[in-house]
Amino acid sequence: MIAFDIPTKYYTIAEYLEMEDASDTRHEFDNGTITEMAGGKLPHNTVKLEALTIANLAIRKAKVPHMALNSDTKVRIEATNKFVYPDGSISDGTPEYYVTPNGTIRRDVIVNPLVIFEVLSNDTRGYDKTDKFDLYCTIPGFREYVLIEPEKIWVKQFFLEDPANNLWRHELLTDRNATLLLRSINLEIPLEEIYAVLDKLPK
């Protein structure tokens, strides 16, 4: 059998965004190539929803301009020419929309995430814990990264303690009675409130 090299299809930003607008599935953009995103299982989706709902309620109560945004909102990573779909994000103040090279304002893409949440899965766990964090760190103003295991009590938070020296710290929470402190906006999220939803699911 003769093997043939199949050339990779490269897309412009305009082609990607146009295709994404018409697609029933979501795709991430990596400097011209696109990758279809897999759907999440029920524990993943419910934990994701709970975390963002709790964050949103806390933000509303604090009356701050930040917004909690769900996984339908893309984040632009300018330094590496990427568009990604984090599981959730909190904007650095009022959301700032991405503006395309031709001047179109994209209200489905932000450029100023302050906090990013990723709920881990077998397909994404390794990437979310390593390379994806490095990519997010190239975004100006990005300050906190929260990784959440959806089927056991495990939350790992990275926070930028010293921006001048790019010094990040991390904290691992494995106690259901622990509280996640989002230091960049001084908001507390009890882990009990995130994981209580799992008690409603079949074992």
Side-chain angles (χ1 to χ4, degrees):
M1 179 182 292
I2 300 175
F4 294 93
D5 290 331
I6 300 175
T8 301
K9 166 70 175 175
Y10 288 96
Y11 297 83
T12 66
I13 290 175
E15 288 172 335
Y16 162 71
L17 292 173
E18 181 180 2
M19 184 180 69
E20 200 68 354
D21 287 342
S23 177
D24 293 330
T25 58
R26 295 181 301 175
H27 304 79
E28 292 194 336
F29 177 91
D30 181 6
N31 197 29
T33 62
I34 62 171
T35 304
E36 182 175 337
M37 298 184 64
K41 296 179 180 178
L42 194 56
H44 178 282
N45 292 339
T46 53
V47 166
K48 175 176 67 175
L49 178 61
E50 287 299 306
L52 265 292
T53 298
I54 295 163
N56 186 50
L57 291 173
I59 288 169
R60 185 185 303 173
K61 184 177 180 180
K63 297 181 179 180
V64 292
H66 313 284
M67 290 190 67
L69 305 166
N70 67 22
S71 57
D72 289 330
T73 301
K74 292 184 279 295
V75 166
R76 170 64 172 168
I77 306 178
E78 190 69 34
T80 54
N81 191 24
K82 292 179 181 287
F83 293 90
V84 297
Y85 286 92
D87 284 317
S89 59
I90 297 175
S91 62
D92 187 2
T94 303
E96 295 179 12
Y97 297 130
Y98 170 69
V99 180
T100 68
N102 67 4
T104 300
I105 297 173
R106 295 289 310 200
R107 291 180 172 84
D108 58 334
V109 187
I110 68 164
V111 298
N112 66 327
L114 179 69
V115 182
I116 288 177
F117 298 86
E118 294 288 3
V119 179
L120 304 178
S121 68
N122 290 337
D123 292 333
T124 67
R125 184 174 287 105
Y127 178 49
D128 288 343
K129 287 183 173 182
T130 55
D131 293 345
K132 200 168 191 182
F133 174 56
D134 292 339
L135 293 171
Y136 286 140
C137 286
T138 67
I139 301 174
F142 173 60
R143 291 292 181 270
E144 291 187 74
Y145 190 46
V146 181
L147 298 171
I148 303 173
E149 284 283 359
E151 299 191 59
K152 66 178 181 180
I153 311 301
W154 190 98
V155 174
K156 192 169 189 178
Q157 174 197 31
F158 295 83
F159 55 94
L160 186 55
E161 184 177 75
D162 182 358
N165 294 299
N166 195 32
L167 176 62
W168 289 81
R169 298 286 189 186
H170 73 266
E171 181 177 10
L172 180 62
L173 305 174
T174 57
D175 184 344
R176 185 162 174 156
N177 296 314
T179 297
L180 169 66
L181 172 62
L182 298 180
R183 291 165 171 82
S184 58
I185 49 180
N186 196 32
L187 293 181
E188 295 184 347
I189 300 179
L191 265 59
E192 168 64 29
E193 295 185 15
I194 295 176
Y195 284 104
V197 68
L198 295 181
D199 297 336
K200 301 179 181 180
L201 298 179
K203 303 301 181 184

